[in-house]
Amino acid sequence: MKAEGSVVLITGASSGIGDATARTLAGAGYRVFGGVRRPEAAATAPGVEYVGMDVQDDASVVTAVSKIIEKAGRIDIVINNAGVSLVGPVEATSDAEATALFDVNVFGVLRVLRAVLPSMRRNRSGLVLNISSVLGFLPAPYMGLYASSKHALEGLSESLDHEVRAFGVRVVLVEPSFSRTNLDINATRTQAVIEDYAAACAQSVNAVRQQINDGPPPEEVAGKILSIVRGTYRLRQPADGRARVLSLLRRFAPFGQVDKSLRRAFGLQLD
């Protein structure tokens, strides 16, 4: 879809999938700008230009996008990767915890979109990649708020694609499974603890950790993103083998089979 030399903005580029993608695209000949909250503390990747950007701050996002356009003349591709996670029962989640998570995972994406789309519309060209998750189309016991934010991102992305394609802009959802990143490994826990859920929550966390250990490294997801950028358009793009299997199961398997498989995957007792 977008050739070498295209200008790319990646949010959350300091670690994990964002860092791996910045390195991969820069190595493939793309001009990459990495959005990070603290550019002075970012690990230096060859060919990546870092710009201060806090997706929770409107002014920070607008300033960063303006600087990139002033320097490079345009933004051809934006990869909304910045995200946070939260583990704990839905009932135990405070308003503040839920708001903070949605402020990054959903409203952070919205802030970046508002900043980059005017330029893309003027240029009649653009590609938006929103980093979702298999939890954007599957439930996630004890990660309910995170899953909710990714479900919201999927609805936002699919709706946006219909709005902007008349201007030569397309939107892609990248859907990794659990990957070996700090986001998945070091997820924040809800402050409140409800004892009735404690044992099942602990079992679920242990099951997810095992999946993380067996999951793809961020470099594999970055390679998939490079193939998406270079390839033909498709809205939903599972980012690894496990994600592809889960996507097919969600679409075609009977509900009961999916339900039991999911409870097994999260270490929960079968009904």
Side-chain angles (χ1 to χ4, degrees), residues 134-185:
V134 295
L135 301 187
F137 58 82
L138 287 170
Y142 301 106
M143 296 181 68
L145 270 294
Y146 178 79
S148 299
S149 74
K150 292 304 184 179
H151 276 67
L153 180 62
E154 299 235 341
L156 172 69
S157 300
E158 190 166 359
S159 302
L160 177 65
D161 182 67
H162 284 284
E163 296 176 1
V164 298
R165 70 176 68 169
F167 308 109
V169 181
R170 298 308 301 263
V171 182
V172 175
L173 281 160
V174 183
E175 298 169 326
S177 61
F178 291 112
S179 54
R180 297 199 298 270
T181 67
N182 287 335
L183 174 66
D184 287 339
I185 295 170

Short mmCIF file of all heavy atoms in Angstrom, two decimals, residues 134-185:
data_model
loop_
_atom_site.label_atom_id
_atom_site.label_comp_id
_atom_site.label_asym_id
_atom_site.label_seq_id
_atom_site.Cartn_x
_atom_site.Cartn_y
_atom_site.Cartn_z
N VAL A 134 -6.38 -9.62 19.89
CA VAL A 134 -7.42 -10.64 19.80
C VAL A 134 -8.52 -10.36 20.82
O VAL A 134 -9.66 -10.80 20.66
CB VAL A 134 -6.86 -12.06 20.00
CG1 VAL A 134 -5.91 -12.44 18.88
CG2 VAL A 134 -6.18 -12.21 21.36
N LEU A 135 -8.20 -9.57 21.85
CA LEU A 135 -9.20 -9.19 22.84
C LEU A 135 -10.09 -8.06 22.33
O LEU A 135 -10.96 -7.58 23.07
CB LEU A 135 -8.53 -8.81 24.16
CG LEU A 135 -7.67 -9.91 24.79
CD1 LEU A 135 -7.18 -9.49 26.16
CD2 LEU A 135 -8.42 -11.23 24.86
N GLY A 136 -9.88 -7.65 21.08
CA GLY A 136 -10.81 -6.75 20.43
C GLY A 136 -12.00 -7.47 19.84
O GLY A 136 -13.00 -6.84 19.48
N PHE A 137 -11.90 -8.81 19.72
CA PHE A 137 -13.05 -9.58 19.23
C PHE A 137 -13.38 -10.77 20.12
O PHE A 137 -14.31 -11.52 19.84
CB PHE A 137 -12.82 -10.04 17.78
CG PHE A 137 -11.60 -10.89 17.55
CD1 PHE A 137 -11.61 -12.25 17.82
CD2 PHE A 137 -10.44 -10.33 17.04
CE1 PHE A 137 -10.48 -13.04 17.59
CE2 PHE A 137 -9.30 -11.10 16.81
CZ PHE A 137 -9.33 -12.46 17.09
N LEU A 138 -12.62 -10.96 21.20
CA LEU A 138 -12.90 -12.02 22.17
C LEU A 138 -13.09 -11.42 23.56
O LEU A 138 -12.51 -10.37 23.87
CB LEU A 138 -11.72 -12.99 22.24
CG LEU A 138 -11.52 -13.94 21.07
CD1 LEU A 138 -10.18 -14.64 21.19
CD2 LEU A 138 -12.66 -14.97 20.99
N PRO A 139 -13.88 -12.07 24.42
CA PRO A 139 -13.96 -11.62 25.81
C PRO A 139 -12.68 -11.97 26.56
O PRO A 139 -11.90 -12.80 26.10
CB PRO A 139 -15.16 -12.41 26.37
CG PRO A 139 -15.24 -13.62 25.51
CD PRO A 139 -14.75 -13.22 24.15
N ALA A 140 -12.48 -11.32 27.69
CA ALA A 140 -11.26 -11.56 28.46
C ALA A 140 -11.56 -11.46 29.94
O ALA A 140 -11.50 -10.37 30.53
CB ALA A 140 -10.18 -10.55 28.07
N PRO A 141 -11.91 -12.58 30.58
CA PRO A 141 -12.15 -12.53 32.02
C PRO A 141 -10.94 -12.02 32.78
O PRO A 141 -9.82 -12.42 32.50
CB PRO A 141 -12.45 -13.99 32.38
CG PRO A 141 -12.05 -14.80 31.19
CD PRO A 141 -12.08 -13.91 30.02
N TYR A 142 -11.19 -11.10 33.69
CA TYR A 142 -10.18 -10.44 34.51
C TYR A 142 -9.29 -9.49 33.71
O TYR A 142 -8.30 -8.98 34.23
CB TYR A 142 -9.37 -11.46 35.32
CG TYR A 142 -10.28 -12.26 36.21
CD1 TYR A 142 -10.60 -13.58 35.91
CD2 TYR A 142 -10.89 -11.66 37.32
CE1 TYR A 142 -11.49 -14.30 36.70
CE2 TYR A 142 -11.77 -12.38 38.10
CZ TYR A 142 -12.07 -13.69 37.80
OH TYR A 142 -12.96 -14.39 38.58
N MET A 143 -9.66 -9.24 32.45
CA MET A 143 -9.08 -8.15 31.67
C MET A 143 -10.21 -7.43 30.93
O MET A 143 -10.08 -6.98 29.80
CB MET A 143 -8.05 -8.70 30.67
CG MET A 143 -6.84 -9.35 31.29
SD MET A 143 -5.64 -9.93 30.08
CE MET A 143 -5.05 -8.38 29.41
N GLY A 144 -11.36 -7.35 31.60
CA GLY A 144 -12.57 -6.86 30.97
C GLY A 144 -12.50 -5.43 30.48
O GLY A 144 -13.02 -5.10 29.41
N LEU A 145 -11.84 -4.55 31.23
CA LEU A 145 -11.75 -3.16 30.80
C LEU A 145 -10.80 -3.01 29.63
O LEU A 145 -11.05 -2.24 28.70
CB LEU A 145 -11.33 -2.26 31.97
CG LEU A 145 -12.47 -1.69 32.80
CD1 LEU A 145 -13.30 -0.72 31.97
CD2 LEU A 145 -13.36 -2.76 33.42
N TYR A 146 -9.70 -3.77 29.65
CA TYR A 146 -8.78 -3.75 28.51
C TYR A 146 -9.48 -4.25 27.26
O TYR A 146 -9.42 -3.64 26.19
CB TYR A 146 -7.55 -4.60 28.81
CG TYR A 146 -6.57 -4.67 27.66
CD1 TYR A 146 -5.69 -3.62 27.40
CD2 TYR A 146 -6.52 -5.79 26.83
CE1 TYR A 146 -4.79 -3.69 26.35
CE2 TYR A 146 -5.63 -5.86 25.77
CZ TYR A 146 -4.77 -4.81 25.54
OH TYR A 146 -3.90 -4.88 24.48
N ALA A 147 -10.19 -5.38 27.38
CA ALA A 147 -10.93 -5.93 26.24
C ALA A 147 -11.97 -4.93 25.75
O ALA A 147 -12.17 -4.75 24.55
CB ALA A 147 -11.58 -7.25 26.60
N SER A 148 -12.64 -4.25 26.69
CA SER A 148 -13.63 -3.25 26.30
C SER A 148 -13.02 -2.13 25.48
O SER A 148 -13.60 -1.68 24.50
CB SER A 148 -14.30 -2.67 27.55
OG SER A 148 -14.98 -3.67 28.28
N SER A 149 -11.83 -1.69 25.88
CA SER A 149 -11.17 -0.61 25.14
C SER A 149 -10.78 -1.06 23.74
O SER A 149 -10.87 -0.28 22.77
CB SER A 149 -9.94 -0.11 25.91
OG SER A 149 -8.85 -1.03 25.85
N LYS A 150 -10.38 -2.33 23.59
CA LYS A 150 -10.02 -2.83 22.26
C LYS A 150 -11.26 -3.09 21.41
O LYS A 150 -11.23 -2.89 20.19
CB LYS A 150 -9.16 -4.09 22.39
CG LYS A 150 -7.77 -3.83 23.00
CD LYS A 150 -7.00 -2.79 22.19
CE LYS A 150 -5.59 -2.59 22.72
NZ LYS A 150 -4.82 -1.59 21.94
N HIS A 151 -12.36 -3.54 22.03
CA HIS A 151 -13.61 -3.63 21.29
C HIS A 151 -14.03 -2.24 20.79
O HIS A 151 -14.50 -2.10 19.65
CB HIS A 151 -14.72 -4.22 22.19
CG HIS A 151 -14.75 -5.70 22.25
ND1 HIS A 151 -13.75 -6.46 22.82
CD2 HIS A 151 -15.67 -6.60 21.82
CE1 HIS A 151 -14.06 -7.74 22.74
NE2 HIS A 151 -15.22 -7.85 22.13
N ALA A 152 -13.88 -1.23 21.64
CA ALA A 152 -14.22 0.13 21.23
C ALA A 152 -13.33 0.59 20.07
O ALA A 152 -13.80 1.22 19.12
CB ALA A 152 -14.07 1.08 22.42
N LEU A 153 -12.05 0.26 20.14
CA LEU A 153 -11.12 0.64 19.08
C LEU A 153 -11.52 -0.02 17.76
O LEU A 153 -11.40 0.59 16.69
CB LEU A 153 -9.70 0.24 19.48
CG LEU A 153 -8.59 0.58 18.47
CD1 LEU A 153 -8.50 2.08 18.25
CD2 LEU A 153 -7.26 0.01 18.93
N GLU A 154 -11.97 -1.26 17.83
CA GLU A 154 -12.38 -1.95 16.60
C GLU A 154 -13.60 -1.27 15.98
O GLU A 154 -13.66 -1.06 14.76
CB GLU A 154 -12.64 -3.44 16.89
CG GLU A 154 -11.41 -4.17 17.40
CD GLU A 154 -11.04 -5.40 16.60
OE1 GLU A 154 -11.89 -5.92 15.86
OE2 GLU A 154 -9.86 -5.82 16.71
N GLY A 155 -14.58 -0.92 16.79
CA GLY A 155 -15.75 -0.22 16.27
C GLY A 155 -15.40 1.14 15.70
O GLY A 155 -15.91 1.55 14.64
N LEU A 156 -14.53 1.85 16.40
CA LEU A 156 -14.07 3.16 15.92
C LEU A 156 -13.36 3.03 14.59
O LEU A 156 -13.62 3.80 13.64
CB LEU A 156 -13.13 3.78 16.97
CG LEU A 156 -12.39 5.07 16.56
CD1 LEU A 156 -13.37 6.21 16.44
CD2 LEU A 156 -11.31 5.40 17.58
N SER A 157 -12.48 2.05 14.48
CA SER A 157 -11.65 1.90 13.28
C SER A 157 -12.49 1.53 12.07
O SER A 157 -12.31 2.09 10.97
CB SER A 157 -10.57 0.84 13.51
OG SER A 157 -9.74 1.20 14.58
N GLU A 158 -13.39 0.56 12.25
CA GLU A 158 -14.21 0.12 11.11
C GLU A 158 -15.13 1.25 10.65
O GLU A 158 -15.32 1.45 9.45
CB GLU A 158 -15.02 -1.11 11.50
CG GLU A 158 -15.72 -1.76 10.32
CD GLU A 158 -16.24 -3.14 10.62
OE1 GLU A 158 -16.06 -3.63 11.76
OE2 GLU A 158 -16.83 -3.75 9.71
N SER A 159 -15.68 2.01 11.59
CA SER A 159 -16.53 3.15 11.23
C SER A 159 -15.72 4.23 10.52
O SER A 159 -16.16 4.77 9.49
CB SER A 159 -17.18 3.73 12.48
OG SER A 159 -17.96 2.75 13.16
N LEU A 160 -14.53 4.53 11.05
CA LEU A 160 -13.69 5.56 10.45
C LEU A 160 -13.30 5.21 9.03
O LEU A 160 -13.27 6.08 8.14
CB LEU A 160 -12.44 5.76 11.30
CG LEU A 160 -11.41 6.77 10.77
CD1 LEU A 160 -12.00 8.17 10.74
CD2 LEU A 160 -10.13 6.73 11.61
N ASP A 161 -13.02 3.93 8.77
CA ASP A 161 -12.62 3.54 7.43
C ASP A 161 -13.68 3.90 6.40
O ASP A 161 -13.36 4.32 5.29
CB ASP A 161 -12.31 2.04 7.38
CG ASP A 161 -11.83 1.60 6.01
OD1 ASP A 161 -10.73 2.03 5.61
OD2 ASP A 161 -12.56 0.87 5.33
N HIS A 162 -14.95 3.76 6.76
CA HIS A 162 -16.03 4.14 5.84
C HIS A 162 -16.04 5.65 5.61
O HIS A 162 -16.38 6.11 4.50
CB HIS A 162 -17.38 3.70 6.40
CG HIS A 162 -17.63 2.23 6.26
ND1 HIS A 162 -17.99 1.63 5.07
CD2 HIS A 162 -17.55 1.22 7.17
CE1 HIS A 162 -18.15 0.34 5.25
NE2 HIS A 162 -17.87 0.05 6.51
N GLU A 163 -15.68 6.42 6.62
CA GLU A 163 -15.73 7.88 6.50
C GLU A 163 -14.60 8.45 5.65
O GLU A 163 -14.79 9.43 4.93
CB GLU A 163 -15.69 8.51 7.90
CG GLU A 163 -16.88 8.16 8.77
CD GLU A 163 -16.77 8.71 10.18
OE1 GLU A 163 -15.77 9.39 10.49
OE2 GLU A 163 -17.69 8.45 10.97
N VAL A 164 -13.41 7.85 5.75
CA VAL A 164 -12.23 8.48 5.14
C VAL A 164 -11.79 7.90 3.81
O VAL A 164 -10.94 8.47 3.13
CB VAL A 164 -11.03 8.47 6.12
CG1 VAL A 164 -11.35 9.26 7.38
CG2 VAL A 164 -10.62 7.05 6.47
N ARG A 165 -12.34 6.77 3.39
CA ARG A 165 -11.84 6.14 2.18
C ARG A 165 -12.09 7.00 0.94
O ARG A 165 -11.36 6.89 -0.04
CB ARG A 165 -12.40 4.73 2.01
CG ARG A 165 -13.86 4.64 1.67
CD ARG A 165 -14.29 3.20 1.42
NE ARG A 165 -14.23 2.38 2.63
CZ ARG A 165 -14.76 1.16 2.70
NH1 ARG A 165 -15.36 0.62 1.64
NH2 ARG A 165 -14.68 0.47 3.81
N ALA A 166 -13.10 7.87 0.98
CA ALA A 166 -13.35 8.78 -0.15
C ALA A 166 -12.20 9.76 -0.35
O ALA A 166 -12.06 10.34 -1.44
CB ALA A 166 -14.65 9.55 0.06
N PHE A 167 -11.37 9.93 0.68
CA PHE A 167 -10.23 10.85 0.60
C PHE A 167 -8.91 10.11 0.37
O PHE A 167 -7.83 10.68 0.55
CB PHE A 167 -10.13 11.67 1.89
CG PHE A 167 -11.42 12.35 2.26
CD1 PHE A 167 -12.16 11.92 3.36
CD2 PHE A 167 -11.92 13.40 1.50
CE1 PHE A 167 -13.35 12.53 3.70
CE2 PHE A 167 -13.11 14.02 1.83
CZ PHE A 167 -13.83 13.58 2.93
N GLY A 168 -8.99 8.83 0.00
CA GLY A 168 -7.78 8.06 -0.25
C GLY A 168 -7.10 7.57 1.00
O GLY A 168 -5.93 7.17 0.97
N VAL A 169 -7.81 7.57 2.11
CA VAL A 169 -7.26 7.12 3.40
C VAL A 169 -7.96 5.81 3.79
O VAL A 169 -9.16 5.68 3.66
CB VAL A 169 -7.49 8.18 4.50
CG1 VAL A 169 -6.90 7.72 5.83
CG2 VAL A 169 -6.92 9.53 4.08
N ARG A 170 -7.19 4.84 4.26
CA ARG A 170 -7.74 3.57 4.73
C ARG A 170 -7.27 3.28 6.15
O ARG A 170 -6.22 3.77 6.59
CB ARG A 170 -7.32 2.41 3.82
CG ARG A 170 -7.80 2.51 2.38
CD ARG A 170 -9.30 2.75 2.24
NE ARG A 170 -10.16 1.75 2.83
CZ ARG A 170 -10.71 0.73 2.15
NH1 ARG A 170 -10.43 0.57 0.85
NH2 ARG A 170 -11.54 -0.09 2.74
N VAL A 171 -8.05 2.48 6.85
CA VAL A 171 -7.78 2.12 8.25
C VAL A 171 -7.64 0.61 8.35
O VAL A 171 -8.44 -0.14 7.78
CB VAL A 171 -8.92 2.61 9.17
CG1 VAL A 171 -8.60 2.29 10.63
CG2 VAL A 171 -9.16 4.11 8.98
N VAL A 172 -6.62 0.17 9.09
CA VAL A 172 -6.34 -1.25 9.29
C VAL A 172 -6.32 -1.54 10.79
O VAL A 172 -5.76 -0.76 11.58
CB VAL A 172 -5.00 -1.65 8.66
CG1 VAL A 172 -4.66 -3.11 8.98
CG2 VAL A 172 -5.01 -1.43 7.16
N LEU A 173 -6.90 -2.67 11.18
CA LEU A 173 -6.79 -3.17 12.55
C LEU A 173 -5.76 -4.28 12.60
O LEU A 173 -5.92 -5.31 11.93
CB LEU A 173 -8.15 -3.70 13.02
CG LEU A 173 -9.16 -2.65 13.46
CD1 LEU A 173 -10.57 -3.22 13.43
CD2 LEU A 173 -8.83 -2.13 14.85
N VAL A 174 -4.71 -4.10 13.38
CA VAL A 174 -3.70 -5.13 13.59
C VAL A 174 -4.02 -5.83 14.90
O VAL A 174 -4.12 -5.19 15.95
CB VAL A 174 -2.28 -4.52 13.63
CG1 VAL A 174 -1.24 -5.62 13.77
CG2 VAL A 174 -2.02 -3.68 12.39
N GLU A 175 -4.19 -7.16 14.84
CA GLU A 175 -4.71 -7.91 15.99
C GLU A 175 -3.71 -8.98 16.45
O GLU A 175 -3.78 -10.13 16.03
CB GLU A 175 -6.04 -8.55 15.61
CG GLU A 175 -7.12 -7.53 15.24
CD GLU A 175 -8.35 -8.14 14.62
OE1 GLU A 175 -8.21 -9.16 13.89
OE2 GLU A 175 -9.46 -7.63 14.85
N PRO A 176 -2.77 -8.61 17.34
CA PRO A 176 -1.86 -9.62 17.88
C PRO A 176 -2.53 -10.45 18.98
O PRO A 176 -3.49 -10.00 19.60
CB PRO A 176 -0.72 -8.78 18.48
CG PRO A 176 -1.02 -7.35 18.16
CD PRO A 176 -2.46 -7.27 17.83
N SER A 177 -2.00 -11.65 19.22
CA SER A 177 -2.35 -12.38 20.43
C SER A 177 -1.44 -11.87 21.55
O SER A 177 -0.74 -10.87 21.39
CB SER A 177 -2.17 -13.89 20.20
OG SER A 177 -0.82 -14.19 19.88
N PHE A 178 -1.46 -12.52 22.70
CA PHE A 178 -0.55 -12.10 23.77
C PHE A 178 0.89 -12.22 23.25
O PHE A 178 1.31 -13.26 22.75
CB PHE A 178 -0.71 -12.99 25.00
CG PHE A 178 -2.02 -12.79 25.71
CD1 PHE A 178 -2.98 -13.79 25.71
CD2 PHE A 178 -2.30 -11.62 26.37
CE1 PHE A 178 -4.19 -13.63 26.37
CE2 PHE A 178 -3.50 -11.43 27.04
CZ PHE A 178 -4.46 -12.44 27.03
N SER A 179 1.65 -11.14 23.37
CA SER A 179 3.02 -11.15 22.89
C SER A 179 3.97 -10.86 24.05
O SER A 179 3.55 -10.39 25.11
CB SER A 179 3.21 -10.11 21.77
OG SER A 179 2.77 -8.83 22.19
N ARG A 180 5.24 -11.12 23.83
CA ARG A 180 6.23 -10.99 24.90
C ARG A 180 6.68 -9.53 25.00
O ARG A 180 7.79 -9.16 24.60
CB ARG A 180 7.41 -11.92 24.64
CG ARG A 180 7.01 -13.39 24.66
CD ARG A 180 8.17 -14.33 24.88
NE ARG A 180 9.18 -14.27 23.83
CZ ARG A 180 9.17 -15.02 22.75
NH1 ARG A 180 8.17 -15.88 22.55
NH2 ARG A 180 10.13 -14.95 21.86
N THR A 181 5.79 -8.70 25.55
CA THR A 181 6.09 -7.29 25.74
C THR A 181 5.79 -6.91 27.19
O THR A 181 5.05 -7.60 27.89
CB THR A 181 5.24 -6.39 24.82
OG1 THR A 181 3.86 -6.48 25.23
CG2 THR A 181 5.37 -6.81 23.37
N ASN A 182 6.34 -5.77 27.61
CA ASN A 182 6.08 -5.30 28.98
C ASN A 182 4.62 -5.00 29.21
O ASN A 182 4.12 -5.11 30.33
CB ASN A 182 6.93 -4.06 29.27
CG ASN A 182 8.39 -4.40 29.46
OD1 ASN A 182 8.74 -5.52 29.82
ND2 ASN A 182 9.27 -3.44 29.19
N LEU A 183 3.90 -4.57 28.14
CA LEU A 183 2.48 -4.28 28.29
C LEU A 183 1.73 -5.52 28.78
O LEU A 183 0.89 -5.44 29.69
CB LEU A 183 1.88 -3.81 26.96
CG LEU A 183 0.35 -3.61 26.95
CD1 LEU A 183 -0.03 -2.47 27.87
CD2 LEU A 183 -0.15 -3.35 25.54
N ASP A 184 2.03 -6.67 28.21
CA ASP A 184 1.35 -7.90 28.60
C ASP A 184 1.92 -8.48 29.89
O ASP A 184 1.19 -9.02 30.72
CB ASP A 184 1.45 -8.94 27.48
CG ASP A 184 0.55 -8.60 26.30
OD1 ASP A 184 -0.41 -7.84 26.49
OD2 ASP A 184 0.82 -9.09 25.19
N ILE A 185 3.24 -8.36 30.07
CA ILE A 185 3.90 -8.98 31.23
C ILE A 185 3.62 -8.20 32.51
O ILE A 185 3.37 -8.78 33.57
CB ILE A 185 5.41 -9.10 30.99
CG1 ILE A 185 5.69 -10.08 29.83
CG2 ILE A 185 6.12 -9.56 32.26
CD1 ILE A 185 7.14 -10.07 29.37
#
